[in-house]
Amino acid sequence: MTPRPTDPLAQLADIHLPPPPADFPWAWGWFALLGLLLLVALTGALYWRRCYNRNAYRRAALAELGKLAQQSDDSLYAASANQLLRRVALQLDGQRAATARGDAWCELLNSYCKHPVFTTQQFAELETAAYQATSQLTDRDGLHRSVSTWLRTHRRAKGC
């Protein structure tokens, strides 16, 4: 009997499949990028929160101005608006805002904005109406818009 030649293909083993991929087959660079993105997002959220808290006085002043707009008496409106402006300016600058009167007060308020908000006529009318029992404002809506604009757009004097 002659030995039968064996089939060389029969000696081969079955095909081996590679192991399944890992759940997160990312390289270390992706994890570093993800960490950096989380750090940037956290820093942005903390900065936004800081700005939001620093402007709480502004939101409160604008809400109070909205209530003042419903005031029917011009002299009471003018006195309250002037008082509101003074309280906000005291929050910003302290002593200088407490002692300023007349044109110096108008210039001080306008110095907090890039562009002057109050005209001298508007401001003179605001101050005189605040101290007269019966006075009429000639342009109450314009004055209200100026006060509102100042409250929204003023900037702090030091490093804001």
Side-chain angles (χ1 to χ4, degrees), residues 2-19:
T2 65
R4 208 165 167 212
T6 59
D7 186 16
L9 294 177
Q11 296 174 358
L12 292 177
D14 285 339
I15 296 175
H16 299 321
L17 294 176

Side-chain angles (χ1 to χ4, degrees), residues 60-106:
L62 285 168
E64 187 173 335
L65 183 66
K67 291 177 186 174
L68 286 179
Q70 299 168 357
Q71 186 67 254
S72 61
D73 184 17
D74 281 350
S75 62
L76 189 57
Y77 171 78
S80 300
N82 196 17
Q83 182 185 27
L84 179 64
L85 287 171
R86 182 130 351 233
R87 284 195 331 242
V88 172
L90 282 170
Q91 173 83 18
L92 297 173
D93 201 358
Q95 186 61 32
R96 234 174 30 151
T99 58
R101 301 279 182 259
D103 289 338
W105 175 230
C106 180

Side-chain angles (χ1 to χ4, degrees), residues 52-156:
Y52 184 80
N53 288 339
R54 286 185 76 188
N55 286 319
Y57 76 95
R58 188 185 309 255
R59 288 188 305 278
L62 285 168
E64 187 173 335
L65 183 66
K67 291 177 186 174
L68 286 179
Q70 299 168 357
Q71 186 67 254
S72 61
D73 184 17
D74 281 350
S75 62
L76 189 57
Y77 171 78
S80 300
N82 196 17
Q83 182 185 27
L84 179 64
L85 287 171
R86 182 130 351 233
R87 284 195 331 242
V88 172
L90 282 170
Q91 173 83 18
L92 297 173
D93 201 358
Q95 186 61 32
R96 234 174 30 151
T99 58
R101 301 279 182 259
D103 289 338
W105 175 230
C106 180
E107 289 172 14
L108 179 67
L109 288 177
N110 282 333
S111 72
Y112 289 115
C113 297
K114 288 182 181 178
H115 306 289
V117 175
F118 295 104
T119 63
T120 54
Q121 177 190 2
Q122 264 184 337
F123 205 75
E125 191 173 85
L126 174 69
E127 279 199 324
T128 57
Y131 297 110
Q132 293 177 355
T134 58
S135 65
Q136 295 290 345
L137 294 172
T138 57
D139 187 17
R140 182 177 170 160
D141 291 334
L143 181 63
H144 183 76
R145 279 192 304 275
S146 294
V147 172
S148 177
T149 300
W150 187 86
L151 288 174
R152 282 185 282 107
T153 61
H154 72 273
R155 297 289 176 242
R156 293 179 184 267

